[in-house]
């Protein structure tokens, strides 16, 4: 499937796919960073909860 632009350059679905690769890579990178940050927050919350439980047991 070929579409014509105003400058008479042809744009194919293949060229669109190649042009979107950097966008997909950036999107995947941002998603990975968000997942890593969420994992870190969960680990810190679990560690804090464990610490509170240990303090509670020591004070009982």
């Amino acid at each position: 499937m070929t579409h014509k632009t105003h400058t008479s350059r042809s744009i194919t679905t293949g060229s669109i796919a190649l042009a979107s690769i950097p966008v997909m890579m950036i999107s995947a990178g941002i998603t990975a960073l968000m997942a890593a940050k969420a994992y870190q927050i969960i680990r810190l919350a679990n560690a804090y909860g464990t610490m509170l439980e240990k303090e509670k047991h020591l004070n009982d």
Side-chain angles (χ1 to χ4, degrees):
M1 186 159 115
T2 303
H3 301 284
K4 294 289 183 180
T5 63
H6 293 293
T7 58
S8 296
R9 288 186 301 165
S10 63
I11 299 174
T12 63
T13 53
S15 66
I16 293 171
L18 286 175
S20 66
I21 288 174
V23 174
M24 290 186 288
M25 290 178 67
I26 291 170
S27 175
I30 291 171
T31 303
L33 288 174
M34 290 171 56
K37 189 63 177 176
Y39 178 74
Q40 180 186 25
I41 290 169
I42 292 168
R43 297 259 328 211
L44 288 173
N46 286 339
Y48 183 68
T50 303
M51 182 189 70
L52 290 178
E53 286 179 5
K54 287 181 181 178
E55 283 183 10
K56 184 179 176 186
H57 287 300
L58 289 174
N59 292 332
D60 287 344

